[in-house]
Amino acid sequence: GSCPLRNVHDDEMSQNNAPYASKAQLQKILNEADAVRNPLQGLEGFSSFTFEHADTSGSAETKVLVKANVTYRQDLSKRLQKGCMALFQQNMSGHYKKSKWGLDLPAKLKELQHKKARFLVLTREDNNVSLSKTDESEILSFAHFRFEFDDDEQPSYPVLYVYELQVKNEYQRHGFGRKMMSIMELIAMKSSMAYVMLTVFLHNDLAMNFYLQKMKYSISDNSPSKFITNGEEEETADYEILWKSVSKKINK
C-alpha cells in the first residue's frame, strides 16, 4: 500500500539537469494529461484479464474475468467511495497507527475526494454493469493516482503519483498489485509523465520489497533519506518516496 504524504523540500533539488524547460511547460503537460477522459484508451489489451480463483471452501478453482476502469473522483459513486475507504481501513489501519502520522480517516476521505483524484478500479467483469453501479463488495483492487509535479516547491518533472494501491485480502497473491502498477506505468508513459512516484512506510516490509525488488523502483531524489545535514537526516522520517522512470528523456 502507498501513503498519501507529498514531500516538499525548500532545499535545492538534486536533479539540476531536468529536461523540462519551465514550470509552465510542466503545467501544460499535467493539464493535457488531466484533460484525457479515458487514459485506458488504446490500452484495452492490458485492461482485461482472467485469473484462477478458489471458492470460499478452497475446493473449486474458477476462472474470473477482471476488468480495469479509470474514473474521475466526481464520477466515483458514494458506494464505490465507501468500498475504497473500507479496503484502505482493512489493509492499512495498522500501518498508519504505527506511523508518526497516525490514522486520520477524515483526512484520508478528503484525500480521496480531491478534485484531481483519479481511480483505477479492478472489478469482476462477469457482473456486466457499469462502474457507477458496482457494489463496494465487488471491488477487487483500487488505486488512487494524480498527475502532479514531482516536488511542489521546486518542480523538475511531471509525474503520475500513486497515493493509494489496495488489493482485497482474498485476491492478494494473484498478481493484481503488479498488474495495477503496470497499467499505471503505461498510463504515465502515454501521458508524457517522466516518473511514477509513491510513498511507502519504512516498516511496511511487504510493500517495500514489492516496489524495490519486484517492480524495480528506487529511492527518489526528494525522499527524506536523501537529505542529510552534518551526517544526519534533517528529521527522522518513517517513510521513503520511491520512483521509476517511464520516459526516454530520463537517464535513470
Side-chain angles (χ1 to χ4, degrees), residues 1-4 78-98 102-112 136 139 142 163-169 172 201 204:
S2 309
C3 317
K78 288 282 183 194
R79 195 168 56 218
L80 211 56
Q81 190 181 91
K82 188 180 168 190
C84 291
M85 275 297 290
L87 188 48
F88 163 78
Q89 279 183 262
Q90 181 186 324
N91 288 358
M92 296 298 293
S93 289
H95 288 297
Y96 273 80
K97 284 173 182 172
K98 256 192 233 178
L103 181 64
D104 185 343
L105 293 176
K108 173 57 64 177
L109 182 60
K110 194 175 177 185
E111 185 185 296
L112 292 179
E136 62 189 81
I139 300 170
F142 85 92
Y163 277 75
E164 208 67 59
L165 171 60
Q166 302 301 338
V167 180
K168 194 174 269 191
N169 191 46
Q172 289 175 11
F201 287 129
N204 192 346

Side-chain angles (χ1 to χ4, degrees), residues 179-198:
K179 179 74 74 172
M180 296 280 276
M181 289 305 298
S182 298
I183 291 171
M184 285 187 284
E185 286 168 12
L186 287 168
I187 290 171
M189 273 183 231
K190 195 164 164 270
S191 308
S192 304
M193 297 297 115
Y195 289 93
V196 174
M197 294 182 78
L198 49 95

